[in-house]
Amino acid sequence: MKDDRRSPFRDAHLDRSTAREVPDTPQTRSPSYRLAFADEDFLCRDELRPVRLQLELLKPQLMLEEREITSTVVMFGGARIPEPEKKHTARTQTLADLSAYYDEAREFARLVTEKSKQSGCRENVIVTGGGPGVMEAGNRGALDADGCSIGLNIVLPHEQAPNEFVTPELAFNFHYFAIRKMHFLMRARAITIFPGGFGTLDELFESLTLIQTGRMDRVPFLLFGQDFWERVINWEALADAGTISEEDLDLFRFVDTAQQAVDLIENWEPAPPRDDIPGR
């Protein structure tokens, strides 16, 4: 991070280093003596949750600003979808068949990143959840184009590391799902949803709800794999029931190939947020 100091006071880095060199006494060993901002046990107290939320919002924000990254293309999708060469390891035949979308995700990210490089990798940077499956394919495609990509990982009960294709300086880790979702969408110029499970469905509906309710600008919202999504979700039944409106079905498009998705994004007419909700 940059440290362009304009203050006459001693900086926090220096005091933290100095505090480590104090004589070892019962007083200096006491937890109460630790500098508050350097005390991990203190920062993990329940009462400090608002501070931790702010830190998780600020750290990626500041680092992305320093890289001058102004916009992203979001890729959501299943962690269990294998690359085609490994589809024999899939737990089900359906997962094996869905491996074709690994290649489409990889190619989509490559095409987007080729154009992103024209801005010095500051605009329309690929962002994924940083894990395996479709996420890996997205980061891998960006690397195929010799560009950068972002990985927004989250701590899970089972051990997990970012996939090897995330740009190391843009690999982030989160404790709070809510803040992670904010970083997915704060700079989004397009959102793509590949086949996936609970996590992908959560991301799909939360981001779609923000657009439906006018809390977010309309951006290209593309669902890869029309057959999959129409088998998993009965969109027309929701509209027929009146729980959504017919107009809501126009908030997204189905695509099957990377080139279809890129063409739609490039020809998408920008639209402001909704000022009302149809059907209410």
Side-chain angles (χ1 to χ4, degrees):
M1 288 187 179
K2 294 180 181 177
D3 188 17
D4 300 327
R5 288 178 48 77
R6 296 182 177 84
S7 170
F9 298 118
R10 282 171 60 95
D11 66 71
H13 291 286
L14 182 57
D15 270 5
R16 184 177 61 178
S17 297
T18 302
R20 291 175 180 153
E21 304 302 323
V22 298
D24 181 28
T25 70
Q27 291 75 24
T28 61
R29 287 196 298 269
S30 171
S32 65
Y33 190 76
R34 297 173 194 157
L35 289 167
F37 61 81
D39 186 343
E40 293 183 359
D41 292 333
F42 175 68
L43 289 175
C44 287
R45 288 177 57 149
D46 285 349
E47 298 90 339
L48 271 291
R49 182 174 290 120
V51 175
R52 294 195 299 274
L53 285 161
Q54 185 178 28
L55 290 173
E56 287 212 341
L57 182 63
L58 277 173
K59 182 179 177 179
Q61 177 72 22
L62 294 174
M63 298 187 78
L64 291 173
E65 285 180 356
E66 288 167 7
R67 288 286 293 250
E68 298 182 1
I69 293 174
T70 59
S71 61
T72 57
V73 172
V74 181
M75 295 180 67
F76 292 132
R80 303 184 186 193
I81 294 177
E83 59 180 301
E85 292 78 5
K86 298 178 181 177
K87 66 180 182 180
H88 63 280
T89 66
R91 294 173 57 248
T92 67
Q93 184 59 48
T94 298
L95 271 178
D97 295 340
L98 289 173
S99 66
Y101 287 106
Y102 182 103
D103 278 350
E104 292 300 332
R106 183 175 175 179
E107 175 64 4
F108 172 75
R110 186 190 70 80
L111 292 172
V112 170
T113 304
E114 289 287 359
K115 295 183 182 298
S116 175
K117 287 167 61 180
Q118 297 172 14
S119 68
C121 285
R122 294 181 176 89
E123 299 175 8
N124 296 334
V125 177
I126 291 294
V127 57
T128 80
V134 166
M135 296 172 280
E136 174 187 288
N139 298 117
R140 188 175 183 178
L143 190 60
D144 289 340
D146 293 321
C148 67
S149 67
I150 302 166
L152 304 181
N153 279 75
I154 189 138
V155 178
L156 298 174
H158 53 276
E159 186 175 351
Q160 175 181 284
N163 69 66
E164 62 182 304
F165 306 105
V166 178
T167 300
E169 298 79 18
L170 298 175
F172 299 99
N173 201 16
F174 290 85
H175 173 65
Y176 295 106
F177 268 95
I179 302 300
R180 178 175 179 255
K181 287 178 182 176
M182 284 189 66
H183 278 294
F184 268 121
L185 300 179
M186 285 168 65
R187 304 160 198 86
R189 291 297 174 267
I191 298 170
T192 59
I193 316 284
F194 289 78
F198 286 164
T200 303
L201 288 167
D202 173 57
E203 291 156 346
L204 186 164
F205 283 116
E206 179 143 8
S207 50
L208 194 57
T209 299
L210 289 171
I211 295 173
Q212 178 204 36
T213 57
R215 297 289 298 178
M216 180 178 174
D217 287 349
R218 283 200 62 178
V219 298
F221 199 105
L222 310 178
L223 275 62
F224 273 78
Q226 183 168 358
D227 179 65
F228 174 85
W229 289 113
E230 288 188 336
R231 282 190 296 119
V232 171
I233 302 167
N234 192 332
W235 305 94
E236 293 293 341
L238 291 171
D240 290 343
T243 54
I244 65 171
S245 67
E246 285 288 340
E247 292 91 334
D248 291 332
L249 298 178
D250 191 48
L251 296 177
F252 57 88
R253 298 284 188 276
F254 294 110
V255 295
D256 284 303
T257 69
Q259 191 60 58
Q260 285 177 336
V262 169
D263 291 343
L264 271 171
I265 291 171
E266 290 182 345
N267 294 288
W268 191 276
E269 292 293 332
R274 282 180 167 182
D275 55 10
D276 64 1
I277 301 178
R280 284 197 183 176

